[in-house]
Amino acid sequence: MKLTLLLLNSLKGLPARMDHYSRFSPSPLSIKQFLEFGMKSANEKKSFEFLRQELPIRICNMMKEMNLLPEKLLKMPSVKLVNSWYLQTLQDLLEFEDSVNDSPTRERFTESLTTIRNRHANVVETIAQGVLEMREGKWNVDPHEECNIQYFLDRFLMSRISIRMLINQHSKSTCKSS
């Protein structure tokens, strides 16, 4: 019972945090900037500071976009599963929102990022499965909805790639400095 109450209390503030972070646009990063950071100035402290703000922004923006999908798609089990992964990821990231930037915290952050990366390993396939579930079901999808879904899938894939690149770069910079 206490665990349930603790979990419910932790979820209460989540919609407000989601609204807060989704108001920001993700930082535009060119491949050049990404590579330069990795080769010249990569360090755990800078990476931690950047990612603990950037990743919640990217996750929340994608969650907001996901919520704009047609209701019939949102009801599919695979899409619900992806939503739950994103929600758990946001909770994991928010644990570091106000953390001190010290070695033990950065180590826990890197471990959390590894967990997140593993959790999202099949996220593209799972969201695609949700689209297939919808199409195979009794749902009629009009051309406008189809176009919107395709637009979302394109953005989802690009978001997924960028998040994974950021997490991998942080993990590599952590290995170098150890």
Side-chain angles (χ1 to χ4, degrees):
M1 182 67 171
K2 286 184 180 182
L3 181 60
T4 304
L5 289 174
L6 181 64
L7 183 60
L8 287 174
N9 285 335
S10 72
L11 291 176
K12 281 183 186 174
L14 207 52
R17 301 308 309 146
M18 212 170 109
D19 285 341
H20 169 75
Y21 280 106
S22 65
R23 288 186 184 122
F24 300 100
S25 294
S27 298
L29 296 172
S30 68
I31 295 293
K32 181 181 177 186
Q33 290 170 311
F34 183 76
L35 291 173
E36 283 177 358
F37 180 80
M39 292 187 324
K40 295 179 183 172
S41 60
N43 74 53
E44 263 186 280
K45 290 179 183 180
K46 285 182 183 178
S47 185
F48 172 76
E49 287 297 329
F50 177 70
L51 290 182
R52 77 172 169 179
Q53 293 297 314
E54 186 67 19
L55 291 177
I57 290 169
R58 289 174 186 258
I59 294 294
C60 288
N61 275 284
M62 192 46 53
M63 289 173 75
K64 285 285 190 173
E65 281 193 51
M66 211 177 305
N67 286 331
L68 297 175
L69 288 169
E71 189 66 32
K72 53 189 148 197
L73 182 55
L74 290 173
K75 290 181 179 179
M76 297 299 110
S78 295
V79 175
K80 287 181 178 181
L81 180 59
V82 169
N83 257 321
S84 73
W85 289 343
Y86 272 74
L87 186 63
Q88 181 61 54
T89 294
L90 179 59
Q91 288 176 293
D92 292 350
L93 292 169
L94 291 179
E95 287 182 29
F96 299 96
E97 188 175 32
D98 298 318
S99 297
V100 174
N101 188 348
D102 60 11
S103 186
T105 300
R106 290 190 304 272
E107 189 174 312
R108 282 188 312 108
F109 183 71
T110 301
E111 289 169 5
S112 185
L113 291 182
T114 300
T115 300
I116 289 167
R117 182 180 54 218
N118 293 340
R119 177 184 305 134
H120 289 261
N122 297 315
V123 75
V124 172
E125 295 91 336
T126 307
I127 200 82
Q129 179 63 37
V131 174
L132 291 175
E133 291 167 1
M134 181 188 70
R135 288 181 181 154
E136 291 169 355
K138 61 181 188 239
W139 307 103
N140 291 325
V141 181
D142 66 55
H144 179 70
E145 285 178 321
E146 188 69 41
C147 185
N148 288 343
I149 291 169
Q150 187 58 52
Y151 178 76
F152 167 80
L153 290 174
D154 291 344
R155 290 185 49 78
F156 184 79
L157 180 59
M158 292 303 294
S159 171
R160 193 61 218 112
I161 291 168
S162 67
I163 289 170
R164 191 167 186 93
M165 285 176 66
L166 291 169
I167 289 173
N168 285 342
Q169 184 178 55
H170 176 81
S171 298
K172 297 292 182 194
S173 72
T174 303
C175 290
K176 278 190 229 176
S177 61
S178 301

